[in-house]
mmCIF file of all heavy atoms in Angstrom:
data_model
loop_
_atom_site.group_PDB
_atom_site.id
_atom_site.type_symbol
_atom_site.label_atom_id
_atom_site.label_comp_id
_atom_site.label_asym_id
_atom_site.label_seq_id
_atom_site.Cartn_x
_atom_site.Cartn_y
_atom_site.Cartn_z
ATOM 1 N N PHE A 260 2.243 -115.018 62.710
ATOM 2 C CA PHE A 260 0.949 -115.321 63.303
ATOM 3 C C PHE A 260 0.753 -114.608 64.604
ATOM 4 O O PHE A 260 1.695 -114.421 65.389
ATOM 5 C CB PHE A 260 0.816 -116.866 63.566
ATOM 6 C CG PHE A 260 0.689 -117.682 62.331
ATOM 7 C CD1 PHE A 260 1.808 -118.316 61.772
ATOM 8 C CD2 PHE A 260 -0.524 -117.932 61.698
ATOM 9 C CE1 PHE A 260 1.711 -119.098 60.636
ATOM 10 C CE2 PHE A 260 -0.669 -118.631 60.571
ATOM 11 C CZ PHE A 260 0.463 -119.227 60.026
ATOM 12 N N TYR A 261 -0.478 -114.138 64.838
ATOM 13 C CA TYR A 261 -0.756 -113.452 66.071
ATOM 14 C C TYR A 261 -2.281 -113.656 66.392
ATOM 15 O O TYR A 261 -3.011 -114.226 65.603
ATOM 16 C CB TYR A 261 -0.429 -111.944 65.943
ATOM 17 C CG TYR A 261 -1.197 -111.252 64.823
ATOM 18 C CD1 TYR A 261 -2.378 -110.533 65.146
ATOM 19 C CD2 TYR A 261 -0.726 -111.184 63.549
ATOM 20 C CE1 TYR A 261 -3.032 -109.846 64.136
ATOM 21 C CE2 TYR A 261 -1.371 -110.546 62.525
ATOM 22 C CZ TYR A 261 -2.552 -109.807 62.844
ATOM 23 O OH TYR A 261 -3.218 -109.184 61.821
ATOM 24 N N CYS A 262 -2.701 -113.193 67.573
ATOM 25 C CA CYS A 262 -4.055 -113.351 67.978
ATOM 26 C C CYS A 262 -4.690 -111.998 68.362
ATOM 27 O O CYS A 262 -3.989 -111.103 68.772
ATOM 28 C CB CYS A 262 -4.178 -114.309 69.170
ATOM 29 S SG CYS A 262 -4.050 -116.053 68.738
ATOM 30 N N VAL A 263 -6.001 -111.935 68.085
ATOM 31 C CA VAL A 263 -6.768 -110.777 68.552
ATOM 32 C C VAL A 263 -7.864 -111.345 69.397
ATOM 33 O O VAL A 263 -8.211 -112.549 69.291
ATOM 34 C CB VAL A 263 -7.324 -109.985 67.358
ATOM 35 C CG1 VAL A 263 -6.247 -109.411 66.587
ATOM 36 C CG2 VAL A 263 -8.271 -110.841 66.493
ATOM 37 N N THR A 264 -8.475 -110.528 70.271
ATOM 38 C CA THR A 264 -9.632 -110.989 71.101
ATOM 39 C C THR A 264 -10.929 -110.340 70.600
ATOM 40 O O THR A 264 -10.927 -109.156 70.206
ATOM 41 C CB THR A 264 -9.335 -110.660 72.595
ATOM 42 O OG1 THR A 264 -9.098 -109.203 72.657
ATOM 43 C CG2 THR A 264 -8.185 -111.322 73.148
ATOM 44 N N ASP A 265 -11.982 -111.140 70.636
ATOM 45 C CA ASP A 265 -13.278 -110.661 70.226
ATOM 46 C C ASP A 265 -13.964 -110.046 71.436
ATOM 47 O O ASP A 265 -13.454 -109.913 72.515
ATOM 48 C CB ASP A 265 -14.109 -111.703 69.585
ATOM 49 C CG ASP A 265 -14.427 -112.911 70.524
ATOM 50 O OD1 ASP A 265 -14.184 -112.762 71.721
ATOM 51 O OD2 ASP A 265 -14.902 -113.910 69.965
ATOM 52 N N GLU A 266 -15.226 -109.670 71.256
ATOM 53 C CA GLU A 266 -16.039 -109.024 72.349
ATOM 54 C C GLU A 266 -16.220 -109.931 73.552
ATOM 55 O O GLU A 266 -16.470 -109.485 74.666
ATOM 56 C CB GLU A 266 -17.362 -108.526 71.822
ATOM 57 C CG GLU A 266 -18.288 -109.615 71.242
ATOM 58 C CD GLU A 266 -17.977 -109.886 69.798
ATOM 59 O OE1 GLU A 266 -17.033 -109.403 69.269
ATOM 60 O OE2 GLU A 266 -18.824 -110.622 69.170
ATOM 61 N N ASP A 267 -16.044 -111.264 73.353
ATOM 62 C CA ASP A 267 -16.235 -112.250 74.494
ATOM 63 C C ASP A 267 -14.862 -112.663 75.049
ATOM 64 O O ASP A 267 -14.771 -113.588 75.771
ATOM 65 C CB ASP A 267 -16.991 -113.483 73.977
ATOM 66 C CG ASP A 267 -18.402 -113.089 73.537
ATOM 67 O OD1 ASP A 267 -19.037 -112.332 74.165
ATOM 68 O OD2 ASP A 267 -18.856 -113.723 72.492
ATOM 69 N N ASN A 268 -13.818 -111.908 74.644
ATOM 70 C CA ASN A 268 -12.392 -112.136 75.130
ATOM 71 C C ASN A 268 -11.953 -113.525 74.568
ATOM 72 O O ASN A 268 -11.015 -114.105 75.222
ATOM 73 C CB ASN A 268 -12.296 -112.091 76.637
ATOM 74 C CG ASN A 268 -10.865 -111.884 77.071
ATOM 75 O OD1 ASN A 268 -10.102 -111.131 76.450
ATOM 76 N ND2 ASN A 268 -10.491 -112.464 78.212
ATOM 77 N N LYS A 269 -12.474 -114.012 73.522
ATOM 78 C CA LYS A 269 -11.962 -115.235 72.902
ATOM 79 C C LYS A 269 -10.946 -114.926 71.877
ATOM 80 O O LYS A 269 -10.983 -113.857 71.158
ATOM 81 C CB LYS A 269 -13.143 -115.996 72.204
ATOM 82 C CG LYS A 269 -14.135 -116.567 73.177
ATOM 83 C CD LYS A 269 -15.250 -117.324 72.451
ATOM 84 C CE LYS A 269 -16.238 -117.976 73.356
ATOM 85 N NZ LYS A 269 -17.296 -118.683 72.625
ATOM 86 N N LEU A 270 -9.881 -115.791 71.747
ATOM 87 C CA LEU A 270 -8.789 -115.522 70.867
ATOM 88 C C LEU A 270 -9.132 -115.954 69.418
ATOM 89 O O LEU A 270 -9.784 -116.949 69.172
ATOM 90 C CB LEU A 270 -7.590 -116.364 71.274
ATOM 91 C CG LEU A 270 -6.847 -115.901 72.615
ATOM 92 C CD1 LEU A 270 -5.692 -116.887 72.891
ATOM 93 C CD2 LEU A 270 -6.342 -114.469 72.424
ATOM 94 N N LYS A 271 -8.772 -115.051 68.559
ATOM 95 C CA LYS A 271 -8.981 -115.245 67.091
ATOM 96 C C LYS A 271 -7.616 -115.198 66.406
ATOM 97 O O LYS A 271 -6.887 -114.253 66.497
ATOM 98 C CB LYS A 271 -9.953 -114.293 66.476
ATOM 99 C CG LYS A 271 -11.318 -114.232 67.136
ATOM 100 C CD LYS A 271 -12.102 -115.471 66.801
ATOM 101 C CE LYS A 271 -13.506 -115.433 67.335
ATOM 102 N NZ LYS A 271 -14.269 -116.670 67.042
ATOM 103 N N LEU A 272 -7.298 -116.270 65.733
ATOM 104 C CA LEU A 272 -5.972 -116.376 65.018
ATOM 105 C C LEU A 272 -5.988 -115.488 63.755
ATOM 106 O O LEU A 272 -6.859 -115.572 62.970
ATOM 107 C CB LEU A 272 -5.686 -117.806 64.663
ATOM 108 C CG LEU A 272 -4.256 -118.069 64.102
ATOM 109 C CD1 LEU A 272 -3.160 -117.815 65.113
ATOM 110 C CD2 LEU A 272 -4.136 -119.516 63.574
ATOM 111 N N ARG A 273 -4.920 -114.725 63.638
ATOM 112 C CA ARG A 273 -4.679 -113.876 62.460
ATOM 113 C C ARG A 273 -3.244 -114.091 62.031
ATOM 114 O O ARG A 273 -2.416 -114.595 62.730
ATOM 115 C CB ARG A 273 -4.921 -112.454 62.794
ATOM 116 C CG ARG A 273 -6.276 -112.103 63.333
ATOM 117 C CD ARG A 273 -7.353 -112.267 62.218
ATOM 118 N NE ARG A 273 -8.696 -111.918 62.582
ATOM 119 C CZ ARG A 273 -9.640 -112.791 62.964
ATOM 120 N NH1 ARG A 273 -9.382 -114.072 62.980
ATOM 121 N NH2 ARG A 273 -10.816 -112.309 63.363
ATOM 122 N N TYR A 274 -2.992 -113.621 60.777
ATOM 123 C CA TYR A 274 -1.576 -113.705 60.277
ATOM 124 C C TYR A 274 -1.339 -112.573 59.301
ATOM 125 O O TYR A 274 -2.256 -112.018 58.721
ATOM 126 C CB TYR A 274 -1.300 -115.052 59.605
ATOM 127 C CG TYR A 274 -2.222 -115.429 58.488
ATOM 128 C CD1 TYR A 274 -1.727 -115.349 57.140
ATOM 129 C CD2 TYR A 274 -3.520 -115.892 58.588
ATOM 130 C CE1 TYR A 274 -2.530 -115.748 56.064
ATOM 131 C CE2 TYR A 274 -4.303 -116.252 57.542
ATOM 132 C CZ TYR A 274 -3.789 -116.145 56.253
ATOM 133 O OH TYR A 274 -4.615 -116.519 55.195
ATOM 134 N N SER A 275 -0.050 -112.278 59.168
ATOM 135 C CA SER A 275 0.379 -111.259 58.175
ATOM 136 C C SER A 275 1.442 -111.762 57.326
ATOM 137 O O SER A 275 2.287 -112.598 57.719
ATOM 138 C CB SER A 275 0.785 -110.009 58.911
ATOM 139 O OG SER A 275 2.007 -110.199 59.594
ATOM 140 N N LEU A 276 1.522 -111.295 56.067
ATOM 141 C CA LEU A 276 2.523 -111.606 55.109
ATOM 142 C C LEU A 276 3.157 -110.357 54.621
ATOM 143 O O LEU A 276 2.480 -109.369 54.316
ATOM 144 C CB LEU A 276 1.970 -112.420 53.940
ATOM 145 C CG LEU A 276 1.506 -113.846 54.212
ATOM 146 C CD1 LEU A 276 0.600 -114.421 53.197
ATOM 147 C CD2 LEU A 276 2.716 -114.778 54.367
ATOM 148 N N LYS A 277 4.510 -110.265 54.595
ATOM 149 C CA LYS A 277 5.168 -109.048 54.122
ATOM 150 C C LYS A 277 6.324 -109.397 53.162
ATOM 151 O O LYS A 277 7.163 -110.217 53.452
ATOM 152 C CB LYS A 277 5.760 -108.343 55.397
ATOM 153 C CG LYS A 277 6.441 -106.988 55.038
ATOM 154 C CD LYS A 277 6.947 -106.299 56.300
ATOM 155 C CE LYS A 277 7.573 -104.973 55.944
ATOM 156 N NZ LYS A 277 8.093 -104.263 57.175
ATOM 157 N N TYR A 278 6.288 -108.681 52.049
ATOM 158 C CA TYR A 278 7.314 -108.833 51.044
ATOM 159 C C TYR A 278 7.874 -107.440 50.784
ATOM 160 O O TYR A 278 7.116 -106.511 50.266
ATOM 161 C CB TYR A 278 6.852 -109.490 49.755
ATOM 162 C CG TYR A 278 7.904 -109.601 48.741
ATOM 163 C CD1 TYR A 278 8.953 -110.619 48.997
ATOM 164 C CD2 TYR A 278 7.945 -108.899 47.603
ATOM 165 C CE1 TYR A 278 9.961 -110.795 47.995
ATOM 166 C CE2 TYR A 278 8.905 -109.052 46.652
ATOM 167 C CZ TYR A 278 9.919 -109.990 46.886
ATOM 168 O OH TYR A 278 10.920 -110.181 45.966
ATOM 169 N N LYS A 279 9.099 -107.186 51.022
ATOM 170 C CA LYS A 279 9.742 -105.821 50.878
ATOM 171 C C LYS A 279 8.970 -104.889 51.714
ATOM 172 O O LYS A 279 8.851 -105.077 52.890
ATOM 173 C CB LYS A 279 9.888 -105.495 49.417
ATOM 174 C CG LYS A 279 10.790 -106.360 48.616
ATOM 175 C CD LYS A 279 10.988 -105.900 47.197
ATOM 176 C CE LYS A 279 11.985 -106.782 46.443
ATOM 177 N NZ LYS A 279 12.147 -106.361 45.033
ATOM 178 N N ASP A 280 8.361 -103.782 51.171
ATOM 179 C CA ASP A 280 7.702 -102.781 51.954
ATOM 180 C C ASP A 280 6.183 -102.984 51.962
ATOM 181 O O ASP A 280 5.501 -102.200 52.541
ATOM 182 C CB ASP A 280 8.000 -101.390 51.393
ATOM 183 C CG ASP A 280 9.480 -101.010 51.543
ATOM 184 O OD1 ASP A 280 10.118 -101.487 52.492
ATOM 185 O OD2 ASP A 280 9.983 -100.310 50.613
ATOM 186 N N LYS A 281 5.743 -104.117 51.407
ATOM 187 C CA LYS A 281 4.275 -104.343 51.307
ATOM 188 C C LYS A 281 3.902 -105.410 52.326
ATOM 189 O O LYS A 281 4.430 -106.490 52.290
ATOM 190 C CB LYS A 281 3.922 -104.734 49.919
ATOM 191 C CG LYS A 281 2.405 -104.879 49.708
ATOM 192 C CD LYS A 281 1.934 -104.915 48.242
ATOM 193 C CE LYS A 281 2.451 -106.136 47.597
ATOM 194 N NZ LYS A 281 1.980 -106.280 46.209
ATOM 195 N N GLU A 282 2.877 -105.123 53.111
ATOM 196 C CA GLU A 282 2.401 -106.045 54.123
ATOM 197 C C GLU A 282 0.854 -106.185 54.086
ATOM 198 O O GLU A 282 0.214 -105.178 53.905
ATOM 199 C CB GLU A 282 2.786 -105.668 55.540
ATOM 200 C CG GLU A 282 2.396 -106.642 56.640
ATOM 201 C CD GLU A 282 2.971 -106.305 57.964
ATOM 202 O OE1 GLU A 282 3.410 -105.154 58.163
ATOM 203 O OE2 GLU A 282 2.957 -107.210 58.866
ATOM 204 N N HIS A 283 0.352 -107.363 54.147
ATOM 205 C CA HIS A 283 -1.079 -107.589 54.170
ATOM 206 C C HIS A 283 -1.481 -108.461 55.347
ATOM 207 O O HIS A 283 -0.707 -109.403 55.764
ATOM 208 C CB HIS A 283 -1.572 -108.286 52.925
ATOM 209 C CG HIS A 283 -1.506 -107.360 51.730
ATOM 210 N ND1 HIS A 283 -2.324 -106.249 51.535
ATOM 211 C CD2 HIS A 283 -0.706 -107.398 50.655
ATOM 212 C CE1 HIS A 283 -2.065 -105.679 50.394
ATOM 213 N NE2 HIS A 283 -1.098 -106.321 49.811
ATOM 214 N N HIS A 284 -2.635 -108.218 55.942
ATOM 215 C CA HIS A 284 -3.130 -108.961 57.112
ATOM 216 C C HIS A 284 -4.329 -109.782 56.650
ATOM 217 O O HIS A 284 -5.155 -109.409 55.860
ATOM 218 C CB HIS A 284 -3.496 -108.049 58.251
ATOM 219 C CG HIS A 284 -2.334 -107.364 58.858
ATOM 220 N ND1 HIS A 284 -1.762 -107.691 60.033
ATOM 221 C CD2 HIS A 284 -1.590 -106.324 58.399
ATOM 222 C CE1 HIS A 284 -0.703 -107.012 60.349
ATOM 223 N NE2 HIS A 284 -0.559 -106.122 59.367
ATOM 224 N N PHE A 285 -4.423 -110.990 57.250
ATOM 225 C CA PHE A 285 -5.476 -111.968 56.869
ATOM 226 C C PHE A 285 -6.199 -112.527 58.078
ATOM 227 O O PHE A 285 -5.659 -112.687 59.189
ATOM 228 C CB PHE A 285 -4.810 -113.114 56.098
ATOM 229 C CG PHE A 285 -4.222 -112.751 54.764
ATOM 230 C CD1 PHE A 285 -2.930 -112.199 54.754
ATOM 231 C CD2 PHE A 285 -4.849 -112.926 53.620
ATOM 232 C CE1 PHE A 285 -2.315 -111.844 53.553
ATOM 233 C CE2 PHE A 285 -4.287 -112.591 52.360
ATOM 234 C CZ PHE A 285 -3.052 -112.064 52.359
ATOM 235 N N ALA A 286 -7.499 -112.852 57.774
ATOM 236 C CA ALA A 286 -8.275 -113.603 58.769
ATOM 237 C C ALA A 286 -8.903 -114.778 57.972
ATOM 238 O O ALA A 286 -9.706 -114.534 57.031
ATOM 239 C CB ALA A 286 -9.436 -112.770 59.306
ATOM 240 N N LEU A 287 -8.503 -115.993 58.283
ATOM 241 C CA LEU A 287 -8.862 -117.122 57.416
ATOM 242 C C LEU A 287 -8.416 -116.900 55.994
ATOM 243 O O LEU A 287 -7.242 -116.623 55.779
ATOM 244 C CB LEU A 287 -10.380 -117.389 57.540
ATOM 245 C CG LEU A 287 -10.914 -117.632 58.939
ATOM 246 C CD1 LEU A 287 -12.399 -117.750 58.869
ATOM 247 C CD2 LEU A 287 -10.315 -118.832 59.560
ATOM 248 N N SER A 288 -9.340 -116.930 55.047
ATOM 249 C CA SER A 288 -8.936 -116.669 53.653
ATOM 250 C C SER A 288 -9.008 -115.150 53.244
ATOM 251 O O SER A 288 -8.570 -114.766 52.183
ATOM 252 C CB SER A 288 -9.839 -117.470 52.632
ATOM 253 O OG SER A 288 -11.131 -116.998 52.686
ATOM 254 N N MET A 289 -9.617 -114.368 54.142
ATOM 255 C CA MET A 289 -9.870 -112.946 53.838
ATOM 256 C C MET A 289 -8.694 -112.092 54.083
ATOM 257 O O MET A 289 -8.215 -112.000 55.230
ATOM 258 C CB MET A 289 -11.074 -112.513 54.641
ATOM 259 C CG MET A 289 -11.538 -111.101 54.360
ATOM 260 S SD MET A 289 -12.931 -110.536 55.296
ATOM 261 C CE MET A 289 -12.078 -110.228 56.867
ATOM 262 N N GLY A 290 -8.247 -111.364 53.047
ATOM 263 C CA GLY A 290 -7.163 -110.411 53.220
ATOM 264 C C GLY A 290 -7.690 -109.013 53.419
ATOM 265 O O GLY A 290 -8.925 -108.822 53.322
ATOM 266 N N ASP A 291 -6.837 -108.031 53.677
ATOM 267 C CA ASP A 291 -7.252 -106.686 54.043
ATOM 268 C C ASP A 291 -7.695 -105.904 52.864
ATOM 269 O O ASP A 291 -8.034 -104.691 53.050
ATOM 270 C CB ASP A 291 -6.088 -105.968 54.830
ATOM 271 C CG ASP A 291 -4.806 -106.033 54.097
ATOM 272 O OD1 ASP A 291 -4.787 -106.219 52.885
ATOM 273 O OD2 ASP A 291 -3.722 -105.887 54.752
ATOM 274 N N LYS A 292 -7.749 -106.431 51.658
ATOM 275 C CA LYS A 292 -8.336 -105.701 50.539
ATOM 276 C C LYS A 292 -9.850 -105.782 50.580
ATOM 277 O O LYS A 292 -10.492 -105.088 49.854
ATOM 278 C CB LYS A 292 -7.827 -106.308 49.230
ATOM 279 C CG LYS A 292 -6.393 -105.942 48.957
ATOM 280 C CD LYS A 292 -5.951 -106.298 47.485
ATOM 281 C CE LYS A 292 -4.520 -105.901 47.193
ATOM 282 N NZ LYS A 292 -4.116 -106.153 45.822
ATOM 283 N N VAL A 293 -10.415 -106.638 51.414
ATOM 284 C CA VAL A 293 -11.840 -106.641 51.775
ATOM 285 C C VAL A 293 -12.065 -105.619 52.853
ATOM 286 O O VAL A 293 -11.481 -105.670 53.879
ATOM 287 C CB VAL A 293 -12.336 -108.004 52.221
ATOM 288 C CG1 VAL A 293 -13.726 -107.930 52.653
ATOM 289 C CG2 VAL A 293 -12.094 -109.069 51.143
ATOM 290 N N THR A 294 -12.897 -104.615 52.574
ATOM 291 C CA THR A 294 -13.116 -103.514 53.461
ATOM 292 C C THR A 294 -14.046 -103.966 54.660
ATOM 293 O O THR A 294 -14.700 -104.929 54.592
ATOM 294 C CB THR A 294 -13.790 -102.354 52.788
ATOM 295 O OG1 THR A 294 -15.128 -102.697 52.326
ATOM 296 C CG2 THR A 294 -12.971 -101.843 51.586
ATOM 297 N N ASP A 295 -14.000 -103.196 55.743
ATOM 298 C CA ASP A 295 -14.841 -103.467 56.924
ATOM 299 C C ASP A 295 -16.274 -103.345 56.492
ATOM 300 O O ASP A 295 -17.118 -104.166 56.980
ATOM 301 C CB ASP A 295 -14.510 -102.508 58.055
ATOM 302 C CG ASP A 295 -13.133 -102.721 58.710
ATOM 303 O OD1 ASP A 295 -12.588 -103.813 58.457
ATOM 304 O OD2 ASP A 295 -12.666 -101.797 59.329
ATOM 305 N N GLN A 296 -16.629 -102.452 55.667
ATOM 306 C CA GLN A 296 -18.003 -102.295 55.180
ATOM 307 C C GLN A 296 -18.472 -103.519 54.439
ATOM 308 O O GLN A 296 -19.548 -104.007 54.720
ATOM 309 C CB GLN A 296 -18.102 -101.045 54.230
ATOM 310 C CG GLN A 296 -19.566 -100.894 53.735
ATOM 311 C CD GLN A 296 -19.637 -99.849 52.618
ATOM 312 O OE1 GLN A 296 -18.649 -99.512 52.006
ATOM 313 N NE2 GLN A 296 -20.852 -99.390 52.373
ATOM 314 N N ALA A 297 -17.576 -104.070 53.579
ATOM 315 C CA ALA A 297 -18.034 -105.248 52.861
ATOM 316 C C ALA A 297 -18.181 -106.433 53.800
ATOM 317 O O ALA A 297 -19.133 -107.194 53.649
ATOM 318 C CB ALA A 297 -16.896 -105.599 51.836
ATOM 319 N N PHE A 298 -17.261 -106.574 54.819
ATOM 320 C CA PHE A 298 -17.447 -107.652 55.752
ATOM 321 C C PHE A 298 -18.740 -107.574 56.547
ATOM 322 O O PHE A 298 -19.443 -108.516 56.811
ATOM 323 C CB PHE A 298 -16.273 -107.648 56.752
ATOM 324 C CG PHE A 298 -16.339 -108.675 57.825
ATOM 325 C CD1 PHE A 298 -15.976 -109.967 57.632
ATOM 326 C CD2 PHE A 298 -16.809 -108.322 59.083
ATOM 327 C CE1 PHE A 298 -16.090 -110.911 58.636
ATOM 328 C CE2 PHE A 298 -16.953 -109.212 60.143
ATOM 329 C CZ PHE A 298 -16.570 -110.500 59.886
ATOM 330 N N ASP A 299 -19.068 -106.354 57.004
ATOM 331 C CA ASP A 299 -20.305 -106.117 57.736
ATOM 332 C C ASP A 299 -21.539 -106.390 56.888
ATOM 333 O O ASP A 299 -22.563 -106.988 57.427
ATOM 334 C CB ASP A 299 -20.395 -104.660 58.237
ATOM 335 C CG ASP A 299 -19.348 -104.371 59.347
ATOM 336 O OD1 ASP A 299 -18.845 -105.429 59.995
ATOM 337 O OD2 ASP A 299 -19.035 -103.218 59.592
ATOM 338 N N ILE A 300 -21.494 -106.065 55.643
ATOM 339 C CA ILE A 300 -22.674 -106.358 54.788
ATOM 340 C C ILE A 300 -22.866 -107.856 54.617
ATOM 341 O O ILE A 300 -23.959 -108.366 54.799
ATOM 342 C CB ILE A 300 -22.480 -105.650 53.401
ATOM 343 C CG1 ILE A 300 -22.521 -104.137 53.518
ATOM 344 C CG2 ILE A 300 -23.561 -106.159 52.395
ATOM 345 C CD1 ILE A 300 -22.157 -103.381 52.246
ATOM 346 N N CYS A 301 -21.781 -108.537 54.358
ATOM 347 C CA CYS A 301 -21.841 -110.021 54.167
ATOM 348 C C CYS A 301 -22.250 -110.694 55.431
ATOM 349 O O CYS A 301 -22.857 -111.826 55.390
ATOM 350 C CB CYS A 301 -20.560 -110.509 53.658
ATOM 351 S SG CYS A 301 -20.087 -110.077 52.021
ATOM 352 N N ASP A 302 -21.952 -110.109 56.600
ATOM 353 C CA ASP A 302 -22.285 -110.696 57.900
ATOM 354 C C ASP A 302 -23.774 -110.616 58.169
ATOM 355 O O ASP A 302 -24.265 -111.289 59.107
ATOM 356 C CB ASP A 302 -21.474 -110.016 58.988
ATOM 357 C CG ASP A 302 -21.430 -110.884 60.288
ATOM 358 O OD1 ASP A 302 -21.254 -112.069 60.112
ATOM 359 O OD2 ASP A 302 -21.661 -110.289 61.332
ATOM 360 N N ASP A 303 -24.470 -109.770 57.451
ATOM 361 C CA ASP A 303 -25.895 -109.560 57.656
ATOM 362 C C ASP A 303 -26.611 -110.064 56.391
ATOM 363 O O ASP A 303 -26.632 -109.383 55.354
ATOM 364 C CB ASP A 303 -26.197 -108.093 57.883
ATOM 365 C CG ASP A 303 -27.637 -107.811 58.253
ATOM 366 O OD1 ASP A 303 -28.553 -108.497 57.651
ATOM 367 O OD2 ASP A 303 -27.915 -106.953 59.065
ATOM 368 N N LYS A 304 -27.210 -111.214 56.514
ATOM 369 C CA LYS A 304 -27.825 -111.859 55.257
ATOM 370 C C LYS A 304 -28.926 -111.005 54.657
ATOM 371 O O LYS A 304 -29.056 -110.975 53.502
ATOM 372 C CB LYS A 304 -28.357 -113.227 55.670
ATOM 373 C CG LYS A 304 -27.305 -114.281 56.026
ATOM 374 C CD LYS A 304 -27.964 -115.550 56.430
ATOM 375 C CE LYS A 304 -26.925 -116.689 56.651
ATOM 376 N NZ LYS A 304 -25.984 -116.351 57.736
ATOM 377 N N ASP A 305 -29.711 -110.353 55.460
ATOM 378 C CA ASP A 305 -30.774 -109.466 54.943
ATOM 379 C C ASP A 305 -30.204 -108.214 54.255
ATOM 380 O O ASP A 305 -30.712 -107.889 53.106
ATOM 381 C CB ASP A 305 -31.723 -109.037 56.045
ATOM 382 C CG ASP A 305 -32.874 -108.231 55.560
ATOM 383 O OD1 ASP A 305 -33.700 -108.881 54.743
ATOM 384 O OD2 ASP A 305 -33.023 -107.093 55.879
ATOM 385 N N LEU A 306 -29.183 -107.642 54.833
ATOM 386 C CA LEU A 306 -28.576 -106.504 54.165
ATOM 387 C C LEU A 306 -27.891 -106.875 52.886
ATOM 388 O O LEU A 306 -27.942 -106.151 51.862
ATOM 389 C CB LEU A 306 -27.622 -105.824 55.106
ATOM 390 C CG LEU A 306 -26.904 -104.520 54.705
ATOM 391 C CD1 LEU A 306 -27.998 -103.462 54.492
ATOM 392 C CD2 LEU A 306 -25.917 -104.048 55.770
ATOM 393 N N THR A 307 -27.293 -108.030 52.914
ATOM 394 C CA THR A 307 -26.670 -108.585 51.675
ATOM 395 C C THR A 307 -27.718 -108.700 50.571
ATOM 396 O O THR A 307 -27.448 -108.289 49.428
ATOM 397 C CB THR A 307 -26.053 -110.006 51.917
ATOM 398 O OG1 THR A 307 -25.037 -109.857 52.914
ATOM 399 C CG2 THR A 307 -25.387 -110.518 50.636
#
């Protein structure tokens, strides 16, 4: 488990899971197989 800071310097909890040589990072239920583009689209209801 680790934390990142947002634009307001607030802490956001994140976590990573690693098995052998494969590692994935997560925010809540969202893993890193969701691209930044997909996240940004979903974050904008009109664009969605």
Side-chain angles (χ1 to χ4, degrees):
F260 287 98
Y261 59 95
C262 281
V263 297
T264 54
D265 63 12
E266 59 275 8
D267 299 320
N268 201 35
K269 291 182 179 179
L270 289 177
K271 300 291 183 182
L272 185 67
R273 300 290 184 262
Y274 60 105
S275 68
L276 289 162
K277 183 177 182 180
Y278 182 69
K279 293 185 177 179
D280 295 329
K281 184 166 66 175
E282 183 174 16
H283 290 291
H284 292 259
F285 296 81
L287 303 175
S288 68
M289 184 182 73
D291 52 21
K292 288 189 178 184
V293 175
T294 65
D295 291 342
Q296 181 192 16
F298 176 80
D299 291 339
I300 292 171
C301 291
D302 196 44
D303 186 324
K304 292 179 174 62
D305 184 64
L306 187 58
T307 298

